[in-house]
Amino acid sequence: MEIKQIIISIVLLAIALALIIGVIIPLFEHGTAAGQKAVLQGEIVKSRLTEVIR
């Protein structure tokens, strides 16, 4: 009975790690890339608005 619980625990840990590696990390990477792109576009707009105002 104890061996069965250990095996189940290992399988659940493997599933959790697979979810973290396969789903959560790529989502964070996508969010980082999108955030950097938004900052770049915001700076472009800011510089153009400054030129228009002058």
Short mmCIF file of all heavy atoms in Angstrom, two decimals:
data_model
loop_
_atom_site.label_atom_id
_atom_site.label_comp_id
_atom_site.label_asym_id
_atom_site.label_seq_id
_atom_site.Cartn_x
_atom_site.Cartn_y
_atom_site.Cartn_z
N MET A 1 0.82 -1.20 0.00
CA MET A 1 0.00 0.00 0.00
C MET A 1 0.86 1.26 0.00
O MET A 1 0.54 2.22 -0.67
CB MET A 1 -0.93 -0.04 1.23
CG MET A 1 -1.98 1.01 1.23
SD MET A 1 -3.16 0.67 -0.07
CE MET A 1 -4.31 1.94 0.22
N GLU A 2 1.96 1.25 0.74
CA GLU A 2 2.83 2.41 0.82
C GLU A 2 3.52 2.68 -0.52
O GLU A 2 3.69 3.83 -0.91
CB GLU A 2 3.89 2.17 1.92
CG GLU A 2 4.30 3.44 2.61
CD GLU A 2 5.18 3.13 3.81
OE1 GLU A 2 4.65 2.62 4.80
OE2 GLU A 2 6.38 3.40 3.69
N ILE A 3 3.91 1.62 -1.21
CA ILE A 3 4.55 1.76 -2.53
C ILE A 3 3.59 2.42 -3.52
O ILE A 3 3.99 3.27 -4.30
CB ILE A 3 4.99 0.37 -3.06
CG1 ILE A 3 5.93 -0.31 -2.10
CG2 ILE A 3 5.56 0.49 -4.46
CD1 ILE A 3 7.36 0.13 -2.20
N LYS A 4 2.33 2.05 -3.45
CA LYS A 4 1.32 2.61 -4.36
C LYS A 4 1.19 4.12 -4.14
O LYS A 4 1.11 4.88 -5.10
CB LYS A 4 -0.02 1.92 -4.12
CG LYS A 4 -1.09 2.27 -5.11
CD LYS A 4 -2.35 1.47 -4.85
CE LYS A 4 -3.43 1.79 -5.84
NZ LYS A 4 -4.65 1.02 -5.60
N GLN A 5 1.20 4.57 -2.89
CA GLN A 5 1.11 6.00 -2.59
C GLN A 5 2.34 6.75 -3.09
O GLN A 5 2.23 7.87 -3.60
CB GLN A 5 0.94 6.21 -1.08
CG GLN A 5 -0.42 5.77 -0.57
CD GLN A 5 -0.53 5.90 0.94
OE1 GLN A 5 0.48 5.98 1.64
NE2 GLN A 5 -1.76 5.93 1.44
N ILE A 6 3.50 6.14 -2.98
CA ILE A 6 4.73 6.77 -3.48
C ILE A 6 4.67 6.92 -4.99
O ILE A 6 5.01 7.97 -5.54
CB ILE A 6 5.97 5.96 -3.04
CG1 ILE A 6 6.13 6.04 -1.52
CG2 ILE A 6 7.22 6.45 -3.74
CD1 ILE A 6 7.18 5.12 -0.96
N ILE A 7 4.22 5.88 -5.66
CA ILE A 7 4.12 5.93 -7.13
C ILE A 7 3.12 7.00 -7.55
O ILE A 7 3.38 7.77 -8.48
CB ILE A 7 3.75 4.54 -7.70
CG1 ILE A 7 4.93 3.58 -7.49
CG2 ILE A 7 3.38 4.64 -9.17
CD1 ILE A 7 4.64 2.15 -7.85
N ILE A 8 1.98 7.06 -6.88
CA ILE A 8 0.97 8.08 -7.20
C ILE A 8 1.54 9.47 -6.97
O ILE A 8 1.33 10.38 -7.78
CB ILE A 8 -0.31 7.85 -6.37
CG1 ILE A 8 -1.02 6.59 -6.86
CG2 ILE A 8 -1.25 9.05 -6.48
CD1 ILE A 8 -2.20 6.16 -6.01
N SER A 9 2.29 9.67 -5.90
CA SER A 9 2.89 10.97 -5.61
C SER A 9 3.89 11.36 -6.70
O SER A 9 3.92 12.51 -7.15
CB SER A 9 3.60 10.94 -4.26
OG SER A 9 2.68 10.72 -3.23
N ILE A 10 4.69 10.41 -7.14
CA ILE A 10 5.68 10.69 -8.19
C ILE A 10 4.98 11.04 -9.50
O ILE A 10 5.38 11.97 -10.20
CB ILE A 10 6.63 9.50 -8.36
CG1 ILE A 10 7.52 9.38 -7.11
CG2 ILE A 10 7.48 9.65 -9.61
CD1 ILE A 10 8.37 8.13 -7.07
N VAL A 11 3.91 10.32 -9.82
CA VAL A 11 3.17 10.60 -11.06
C VAL A 11 2.53 11.98 -10.99
O VAL A 11 2.59 12.75 -11.97
CB VAL A 11 2.10 9.51 -11.31
CG1 VAL A 11 1.15 9.92 -12.41
CG2 VAL A 11 2.77 8.19 -11.66
N LEU A 12 1.96 12.33 -9.87
CA LEU A 12 1.34 13.67 -9.73
C LEU A 12 2.39 14.77 -9.82
O LEU A 12 2.14 15.83 -10.41
CB LEU A 12 0.57 13.76 -8.42
CG LEU A 12 -0.72 12.94 -8.35
CD1 LEU A 12 -1.35 13.04 -6.97
CD2 LEU A 12 -1.71 13.40 -9.41
N LEU A 13 3.56 14.55 -9.23
CA LEU A 13 4.64 15.51 -9.33
C LEU A 13 5.08 15.68 -10.78
O LEU A 13 5.31 16.80 -11.24
CB LEU A 13 5.82 15.08 -8.46
CG LEU A 13 7.04 15.99 -8.50
CD1 LEU A 13 6.70 17.37 -7.97
CD2 LEU A 13 8.17 15.38 -7.69
N ALA A 14 5.17 14.57 -11.51
CA ALA A 14 5.56 14.64 -12.91
C ALA A 14 4.53 15.41 -13.74
O ALA A 14 4.89 16.21 -14.61
CB ALA A 14 5.74 13.23 -13.47
N ILE A 15 3.27 15.20 -13.46
CA ILE A 15 2.21 15.93 -14.17
C ILE A 15 2.30 17.43 -13.86
O ILE A 15 2.19 18.27 -14.76
CB ILE A 15 0.82 15.37 -13.82
CG1 ILE A 15 0.67 13.96 -14.40
CG2 ILE A 15 -0.30 16.27 -14.33
CD1 ILE A 15 -0.56 13.22 -13.92
N ALA A 16 2.51 17.76 -12.60
CA ALA A 16 2.62 19.17 -12.21
C ALA A 16 3.81 19.83 -12.89
O ALA A 16 3.71 20.95 -13.41
CB ALA A 16 2.74 19.28 -10.69
N LEU A 17 4.94 19.15 -12.92
CA LEU A 17 6.12 19.71 -13.58
C LEU A 17 5.90 19.87 -15.08
O LEU A 17 6.32 20.86 -15.68
CB LEU A 17 7.35 18.83 -13.32
CG LEU A 17 7.90 18.88 -11.90
CD1 LEU A 17 9.01 17.85 -11.73
CD2 LEU A 17 8.42 20.26 -11.57
N ALA A 18 5.22 18.91 -15.69
CA ALA A 18 4.92 19.01 -17.12
C ALA A 18 4.03 20.22 -17.41
O ALA A 18 4.23 20.93 -18.40
CB ALA A 18 4.26 17.73 -17.61
N LEU A 19 3.05 20.46 -16.55
CA LEU A 19 2.18 21.63 -16.73
C LEU A 19 2.97 22.93 -16.58
O LEU A 19 2.78 23.87 -17.35
CB LEU A 19 1.03 21.60 -15.72
CG LEU A 19 -0.08 20.62 -16.03
CD1 LEU A 19 -1.08 20.57 -14.88
CD2 LEU A 19 -0.80 21.02 -17.31
N ILE A 20 3.84 22.98 -15.60
CA ILE A 20 4.64 24.18 -15.39
C ILE A 20 5.54 24.44 -16.60
O ILE A 20 5.60 25.55 -17.11
CB ILE A 20 5.46 24.07 -14.09
CG1 ILE A 20 4.53 24.15 -12.89
CG2 ILE A 20 6.52 25.16 -14.02
CD1 ILE A 20 5.20 23.82 -11.57
N ILE A 21 6.22 23.41 -17.06
CA ILE A 21 7.15 23.56 -18.18
C ILE A 21 6.40 23.82 -19.49
O ILE A 21 6.82 24.65 -20.30
CB ILE A 21 8.05 22.32 -18.30
CG1 ILE A 21 8.98 22.24 -17.09
CG2 ILE A 21 8.85 22.33 -19.59
CD1 ILE A 21 9.74 20.94 -16.96
N GLY A 22 5.29 23.14 -19.70
CA GLY A 22 4.60 23.22 -20.98
C GLY A 22 3.61 24.34 -21.12
O GLY A 22 3.31 24.76 -22.23
N VAL A 23 3.09 24.85 -20.02
CA VAL A 23 2.02 25.85 -20.11
C VAL A 23 2.41 27.17 -19.45
O VAL A 23 2.35 28.23 -20.07
CB VAL A 23 0.72 25.31 -19.47
CG1 VAL A 23 -0.36 26.36 -19.46
CG2 VAL A 23 0.25 24.06 -20.20
N ILE A 24 2.80 27.12 -18.20
CA ILE A 24 2.99 28.35 -17.44
C ILE A 24 4.20 29.14 -17.92
O ILE A 24 4.11 30.36 -18.13
CB ILE A 24 3.07 28.03 -15.94
CG1 ILE A 24 1.73 27.45 -15.47
CG2 ILE A 24 3.44 29.25 -15.13
CD1 ILE A 24 1.72 26.93 -14.07
N ILE A 25 5.33 28.49 -18.13
CA ILE A 25 6.53 29.20 -18.57
C ILE A 25 6.34 29.85 -19.94
O ILE A 25 6.68 31.03 -20.10
CB ILE A 25 7.76 28.27 -18.53
CG1 ILE A 25 8.10 27.93 -17.07
CG2 ILE A 25 8.96 28.90 -19.23
CD1 ILE A 25 9.21 26.94 -16.88
N PRO A 26 5.77 29.16 -20.94
CA PRO A 26 5.53 29.85 -22.22
C PRO A 26 4.57 31.04 -22.10
O PRO A 26 4.74 32.04 -22.80
CB PRO A 26 4.92 28.76 -23.10
CG PRO A 26 5.48 27.50 -22.57
CD PRO A 26 5.55 27.72 -21.08
N LEU A 27 3.59 30.95 -21.20
CA LEU A 27 2.69 32.10 -21.01
C LEU A 27 3.44 33.29 -20.46
O LEU A 27 3.23 34.43 -20.88
CB LEU A 27 1.55 31.72 -20.06
CG LEU A 27 0.43 30.88 -20.66
CD1 LEU A 27 -0.58 30.49 -19.59
CD2 LEU A 27 -0.27 31.62 -21.77
N PHE A 28 4.34 33.07 -19.50
CA PHE A 28 5.14 34.16 -18.96
C PHE A 28 6.04 34.76 -20.03
O PHE A 28 6.19 35.98 -20.12
CB PHE A 28 5.99 33.69 -17.77
CG PHE A 28 5.22 33.58 -16.50
CD1 PHE A 28 5.36 32.45 -15.71
CD2 PHE A 28 4.38 34.58 -16.06
CE1 PHE A 28 4.67 32.33 -14.52
CE2 PHE A 28 3.68 34.47 -14.87
CZ PHE A 28 3.82 33.34 -14.10
N GLU A 29 6.64 33.91 -20.87
CA GLU A 29 7.51 34.40 -21.94
C GLU A 29 6.71 35.24 -22.94
O GLU A 29 7.17 36.28 -23.40
CB GLU A 29 8.20 33.25 -22.64
CG GLU A 29 9.25 32.57 -21.77
CD GLU A 29 9.83 31.32 -22.41
OE1 GLU A 29 9.38 30.92 -23.51
OE2 GLU A 29 10.75 30.75 -21.80
N HIS A 30 5.50 34.79 -23.26
CA HIS A 30 4.65 35.54 -24.19
C HIS A 30 4.28 36.89 -23.59
O HIS A 30 4.31 37.90 -24.28
CB HIS A 30 3.38 34.74 -24.51
CG HIS A 30 2.39 35.50 -25.32
ND1 HIS A 30 2.58 35.81 -26.63
CD2 HIS A 30 1.19 36.04 -24.98
CE1 HIS A 30 1.55 36.51 -27.08
NE2 HIS A 30 0.69 36.66 -26.09
N GLY A 31 3.95 36.89 -22.30
CA GLY A 31 3.61 38.15 -21.63
C GLY A 31 4.77 39.12 -21.60
O GLY A 31 4.60 40.32 -21.79
N THR A 32 5.96 38.61 -21.39
CA THR A 32 7.15 39.45 -21.38
C THR A 32 7.38 40.07 -22.75
O THR A 32 7.65 41.27 -22.87
CB THR A 32 8.39 38.63 -20.96
OG1 THR A 32 8.16 38.07 -19.67
CG2 THR A 32 9.63 39.48 -20.94
N ALA A 33 7.27 39.26 -23.79
CA ALA A 33 7.48 39.77 -25.16
C ALA A 33 6.42 40.81 -25.51
O ALA A 33 6.74 41.86 -26.10
CB ALA A 33 7.45 38.62 -26.16
N ALA A 34 5.18 40.55 -25.14
CA ALA A 34 4.11 41.50 -25.44
C ALA A 34 4.31 42.81 -24.67
O ALA A 34 4.08 43.90 -25.20
CB ALA A 34 2.75 40.89 -25.08
N GLY A 35 4.76 42.71 -23.44
CA GLY A 35 5.02 43.92 -22.64
C GLY A 35 6.14 44.75 -23.21
O GLY A 35 6.05 45.98 -23.28
N GLN A 36 7.21 44.11 -23.65
CA GLN A 36 8.33 44.84 -24.24
C GLN A 36 7.90 45.52 -25.54
O GLN A 36 8.29 46.65 -25.82
CB GLN A 36 9.50 43.89 -24.49
CG GLN A 36 10.17 43.43 -23.22
CD GLN A 36 11.21 42.36 -23.46
OE1 GLN A 36 11.29 41.77 -24.53
NE2 GLN A 36 12.02 42.09 -22.44
N LYS A 37 7.08 44.84 -26.33
CA LYS A 37 6.59 45.43 -27.58
C LYS A 37 5.71 46.64 -27.29
O LYS A 37 5.80 47.67 -27.97
CB LYS A 37 5.81 44.38 -28.37
CG LYS A 37 5.33 44.86 -29.72
CD LYS A 37 4.61 43.76 -30.48
CE LYS A 37 4.08 44.30 -31.79
NZ LYS A 37 3.32 43.27 -32.52
N ALA A 38 4.88 46.54 -26.27
CA ALA A 38 4.00 47.66 -25.91
C ALA A 38 4.81 48.87 -25.45
O ALA A 38 4.50 50.01 -25.80
CB ALA A 38 3.02 47.23 -24.82
N VAL A 39 5.87 48.62 -24.68
CA VAL A 39 6.72 49.73 -24.22
C VAL A 39 7.38 50.40 -25.41
O VAL A 39 7.42 51.63 -25.50
CB VAL A 39 7.77 49.22 -23.22
CG1 VAL A 39 8.83 50.26 -22.96
CG2 VAL A 39 7.11 48.81 -21.91
N LEU A 40 7.89 49.61 -26.35
CA LEU A 40 8.54 50.17 -27.53
C LEU A 40 7.55 51.01 -28.35
O LEU A 40 7.86 52.13 -28.75
CB LEU A 40 9.11 49.04 -28.39
CG LEU A 40 9.79 49.47 -29.69
CD1 LEU A 40 11.01 50.33 -29.40
CD2 LEU A 40 10.21 48.24 -30.50
N GLN A 41 6.36 50.49 -28.56
CA GLN A 41 5.37 51.23 -29.33
C GLN A 41 4.95 52.50 -28.59
O GLN A 41 4.73 53.55 -29.21
CB GLN A 41 4.14 50.36 -29.60
CG GLN A 41 4.42 49.26 -30.61
CD GLN A 41 3.24 48.34 -30.82
OE1 GLN A 41 2.31 48.32 -30.03
NE2 GLN A 41 3.28 47.55 -31.88
N GLY A 42 4.85 52.42 -27.27
CA GLY A 42 4.50 53.61 -26.48
C GLY A 42 5.55 54.69 -26.60
O GLY A 42 5.22 55.88 -26.68
N GLU A 43 6.81 54.31 -26.61
CA GLU A 43 7.88 55.29 -26.74
C GLU A 43 7.88 55.93 -28.13
O GLU A 43 8.13 57.12 -28.27
CB GLU A 43 9.22 54.64 -26.42
CG GLU A 43 9.28 54.24 -24.96
CD GLU A 43 10.69 54.03 -24.46
OE1 GLU A 43 11.65 54.31 -25.20
OE2 GLU A 43 10.81 53.59 -23.32
N ILE A 44 7.56 55.14 -29.15
CA ILE A 44 7.47 55.69 -30.51
C ILE A 44 6.35 56.73 -30.58
O ILE A 44 6.53 57.83 -31.09
CB ILE A 44 7.25 54.57 -31.55
CG1 ILE A 44 8.51 53.71 -31.66
CG2 ILE A 44 6.87 55.14 -32.90
CD1 ILE A 44 8.32 52.44 -32.48
N VAL A 45 5.19 56.39 -30.03
CA VAL A 45 4.05 57.31 -30.03
C VAL A 45 4.39 58.56 -29.23
O VAL A 45 4.08 59.69 -29.65
CB VAL A 45 2.79 56.61 -29.45
CG1 VAL A 45 1.68 57.62 -29.19
CG2 VAL A 45 2.32 55.52 -30.40
N LYS A 46 5.03 58.39 -28.11
CA LYS A 46 5.40 59.53 -27.26
C LYS A 46 6.34 60.49 -28.00
O LYS A 46 6.15 61.71 -27.97
CB LYS A 46 6.08 59.02 -25.99
CG LYS A 46 6.47 60.07 -25.01
CD LYS A 46 7.11 59.44 -23.79
CE LYS A 46 7.74 60.45 -22.89
NZ LYS A 46 8.44 59.84 -21.77
N SER A 47 7.32 59.94 -28.71
CA SER A 47 8.25 60.81 -29.45
C SER A 47 7.55 61.53 -30.59
O SER A 47 7.81 62.70 -30.86
CB SER A 47 9.45 60.01 -29.96
OG SER A 47 9.05 59.09 -30.95
N ARG A 48 6.63 60.84 -31.26
CA ARG A 48 5.90 61.48 -32.36
C ARG A 48 4.97 62.57 -31.84
O ARG A 48 4.83 63.63 -32.47
CB ARG A 48 5.12 60.44 -33.16
CG ARG A 48 6.03 59.55 -33.98
CD ARG A 48 5.25 58.58 -34.83
NE ARG A 48 6.16 57.71 -35.56
CZ ARG A 48 5.76 56.64 -36.21
NH1 ARG A 48 4.49 56.30 -36.23
NH2 ARG A 48 6.66 55.90 -36.84
N LEU A 49 4.32 62.33 -30.71
CA LEU A 49 3.46 63.36 -30.13
C LEU A 49 4.27 64.58 -29.72
O LEU A 49 3.84 65.72 -29.89
CB LEU A 49 2.70 62.80 -28.92
CG LEU A 49 1.50 61.92 -29.22
CD1 LEU A 49 0.92 61.34 -27.94
CD2 LEU A 49 0.43 62.72 -29.96
N THR A 50 5.45 64.34 -29.20
CA THR A 50 6.32 65.46 -28.80
C THR A 50 6.68 66.29 -30.03
O THR A 50 6.70 67.52 -29.95
CB THR A 50 7.60 64.92 -28.13
OG1 THR A 50 7.22 64.10 -27.03
CG2 THR A 50 8.47 66.03 -27.64
N GLU A 51 6.96 65.64 -31.15
CA GLU A 51 7.28 66.35 -32.38
C GLU A 51 6.08 67.18 -32.87
O GLU A 51 6.24 68.29 -33.34
CB GLU A 51 7.73 65.39 -33.46
CG GLU A 51 9.07 64.75 -33.20
CD GLU A 51 9.44 63.70 -34.25
OE1 GLU A 51 8.78 63.67 -35.31
OE2 GLU A 51 10.36 62.93 -33.98
N VAL A 52 4.88 66.61 -32.75
CA VAL A 52 3.68 67.32 -33.22
C VAL A 52 3.40 68.53 -32.34
O VAL A 52 3.04 69.60 -32.83
CB VAL A 52 2.47 66.35 -33.22
CG1 VAL A 52 1.17 67.11 -33.42
CG2 VAL A 52 2.65 65.29 -34.28
N ILE A 53 3.61 68.38 -31.05
CA ILE A 53 3.31 69.48 -30.12
C ILE A 53 4.29 70.64 -30.33
O ILE A 53 3.91 71.80 -30.21
CB ILE A 53 3.34 68.96 -28.67
CG1 ILE A 53 2.17 68.03 -28.45
CG2 ILE A 53 3.31 70.10 -27.68
CD1 ILE A 53 2.18 67.31 -27.12
N ARG A 54 5.53 70.35 -30.68
CA ARG A 54 6.53 71.42 -30.85
C ARG A 54 6.25 72.22 -32.04
O ARG A 54 5.88 72.64 -32.82
CB ARG A 54 7.93 70.82 -30.98
CG ARG A 54 8.39 70.28 -29.67
CD ARG A 54 9.78 69.76 -29.80
NE ARG A 54 10.19 69.16 -28.53
CZ ARG A 54 11.31 68.57 -28.33
NH1 ARG A 54 12.21 68.48 -29.27
NH2 ARG A 54 11.61 68.05 -27.17
#
